[in-house]
Amino acid sequence: MSNSSQKPVLFTTQKNFASRLTLATLNGRPIRISQIRPSSPSSLGVAPHEVSLLRLLEAVTNGSTIEVSMTGTTVNYRPGLITGSVPGQGANGGVIRHEVPATCTRGVSYLLIPLCLLAPFSKAPVNVLFSGPGVITSATPAGDISVDSVRTAILPLYAKFGIFKDIELRILRRSNSGPRGKGGAGEVQLVFGHQVRLPNTLHLLNPGRIKRIRGVAYCTGVPASNNARMIEAARGILNPMGADTYVFSDVSSAPYTPSNEKSNPNGKTKTGIGFGLSLVAESSTGCLYSADVASPPSGGDPPEDIGQRCAYQLLDSVAAGGAVSLIAAPTVLTLMSMSSEDVGRVQIGKDVLSADHIIELGRDMKALGLSSWGFREATTAQDNNIVVSVVGKGVGNVGRKIT
């Protein structure tokens, strides 16, 4: 919990909005984010997905204060204690029900990834049910990964920090992006029951070699043959690389939402129609590389193109090198900074480390009082890899008693 006498750390623009709020909550530092879309004529201030994230943080913490200016361009956030799904703190029957509005254009993974980072440091287990007309479980044009990639490519990495028990991500109802990329009416539940005092120090320096490829082809409200066409196109590219390739097919009906038409106020319409593919490659040392492609809301892309693009995206992720992929690097680096006061090391490809949001993450960590990163060239693997050293702060879970 933050000290009321602390001055807020100042940030500007909506870039890395979710990661800044997550780091502030973990570190107990108040922050002030200004100039959030100050000149946008149609979407001034905080967007619906950012408001949804603020509401989620308020639900899983106790004592947090959130102030948004009249124009929505400035947010003052003073974090409280991470309590999780504690009865009486917003949880009903041990479950927090979080409704996502229909105007949300981001995937539910935008909310899941920060919540997974907070869950190990919670006072009680975290059990959150995401529902509502705005839940999109697939990958989105905004760059969000699917729930399948969160489940298969991000959550397994927590085991490397000693966090592995009672963790489950359930997809209760699938959905793709709705018309104009808004809404999907899916349903997802995250159960995170392993809370720790401090994560283990990570030493991940050997990427290994790819030994298996797994994936999920999904479609909602369209014929199941789309899955078979995506899988066949992807396997045509991946099979020459390795024999152990298996892609699961998941077919579901499209969810219904109220039509909101004056002529038929009680009518319902199908939404979240589409298809997509999620692939994950696992190395001999347990490193994971993922790819995610879904059909656009406007349609027009055949399943063969989706399958081929996803396969090539997976190969690009592996070719980037390192022991951590681009989508998993923020999670790994954040957990390393929150571990015990020891030096953790991880090997990351130069292309991954030079991404804009990774550079911004390092700057934000330093601004919030966390350790700076150390770099050196990797000597035992590919030439384009860097060994990143991170000293843990050792704050850990203040709500958990030391035994």
Side-chain angles (χ1 to χ4, degrees), residues 327-342:
I327 66 165
T331 296
V332 171
L333 292 169
T334 302
L335 288 174
M336 290 176 68
S337 68
M338 294 300 296
S339 62
S340 58
E341 298 182 59
D342 196 1

Side-chain angles (χ1 to χ4, degrees), residues 135-160:
V135 176
I136 304 172
T137 64
S138 68
T140 64
D144 300 307
I145 62 175
S146 68
V147 178
D148 295 283
S149 292
V150 176
R151 178 175 55 84
T152 58
I154 291 184
L155 286 182
L157 296 174
Y158 283 77
K160 298 183 182 297

Side-chain angles (χ1 to χ4, degrees), residues 44 58 66-67 72 78 92 116 122 129 135 140 193 200 209 224 246 288 321 326 335 339 358 361 369 376 380 394 401:
L44 181 70
E58 187 179 23
I66 302 171
E67 298 175 359
R78 190 172 293 274
N92 185 9
C116 290
S122 173
L129 177 65
V135 176
T140 64
N200 296 341
R209 293 181 177 274
Y246 181 78
L288 301 172
L326 181 62
L335 288 174
S339 62
I358 301 296
L361 177 66
R376 66 175 174 84
T380 58
K401 294 181 180 179

Side-chain angles (χ1 to χ4, degrees), residues 115-378:
L115 182 60
C116 290
L117 283 170
L118 299 178
F121 307 98
S122 173
K123 183 178 181 180
V126 172
N127 191 339
V128 179
L129 177 65
F130 295 91
S131 60
V135 176
I136 304 172
T137 64
S138 68
T140 64
D144 300 307
I145 62 175
S146 68
V147 178
D148 295 283
S149 292
V150 176
R151 178 175 55 84
T152 58
I154 291 184
L155 286 182
L157 296 174
Y158 283 77
K160 298 183 182 297
F161 295 90
I163 307 167
F164 55 88
K165 294 185 297 184
D166 301 326
I167 301 175
E168 187 177 0
L169 183 56
R170 306 166 185 162
I171 304 175
L172 305 179
R173 185 166 60 236
R174 287 190 178 274
S175 64
N176 282 56
S177 298
R180 298 181 300 279
K182 295 181 180 180
E187 196 168 302
V188 176
Q189 185 175 13
L190 174 67
V191 180
F192 208 115
H194 192 175
Q195 281 65 48
V196 295
R197 177 74 179 103
L198 287 169
N200 296 341
T201 302
L202 179 68
H203 296 281
L204 190 58
L205 302 175
N206 183 12
R209 293 181 177 274
I210 301 301
K211 66 176 183 178
R212 68 167 65 97
I213 297 174
R214 296 291 183 265
V216 177
Y218 53 88
C219 63
T220 56
V222 295
S225 59
N226 290 284
N227 281 357
R229 293 163 63 183
M230 284 188 295
I231 293 172
E232 184 179 0
R235 288 182 69 94
I237 296 170
L238 297 175
N239 278 353
M241 310 296 174
D244 191 4
T245 302
Y246 181 78
V247 182
F248 176 74
S249 177
D250 188 3
V251 182
S252 58
S253 58
Y256 286 86
T257 57
S259 60
N260 295 325
E261 296 179 358
K262 293 183 179 179
S263 59
N264 187 14
N266 297 324
K268 293 186 177 182
T269 58
K270 286 185 178 181
T271 188
I273 299 173
F275 50 86
L277 180 62
S278 170
L279 295 173
V280 176
E282 183 182 354
S283 74
S284 55
T285 56
C287 300
L288 301 172
Y289 309 88
S290 66
D292 231 323
V293 180
S295 58
S298 58
D301 289 6
E304 289 82 5
D305 287 356
I306 300 295
Q308 290 177 358
R309 280 161 49 194
C310 191
Y312 284 126
Q313 189 182 111
L314 180 66
L315 296 179
D316 288 341
S317 179
V318 175
V324 178
S325 66
L326 181 62
I327 66 165
T331 296
V332 171
L333 292 169
T334 302
L335 288 174
M336 290 176 68
S337 68
M338 294 300 296
S339 62
S340 58
E341 298 182 59
D342 196 1
V343 181
R345 297 177 179 85
V346 62
Q347 191 172 131
I348 300 180
K350 289 183 179 179
D351 292 339
V352 174
L353 198 59
S354 61
D356 291 343
H357 69 282
I358 301 296
I359 295 173
E360 291 291 337
L361 177 66
R363 292 172 177 169
D364 293 344
M365 284 184 175
K366 185 177 181 181
L368 288 166
L370 298 174
S371 301
S372 302
W373 302 342
F375 306 99
R376 66 175 174 84
E377 293 281 348

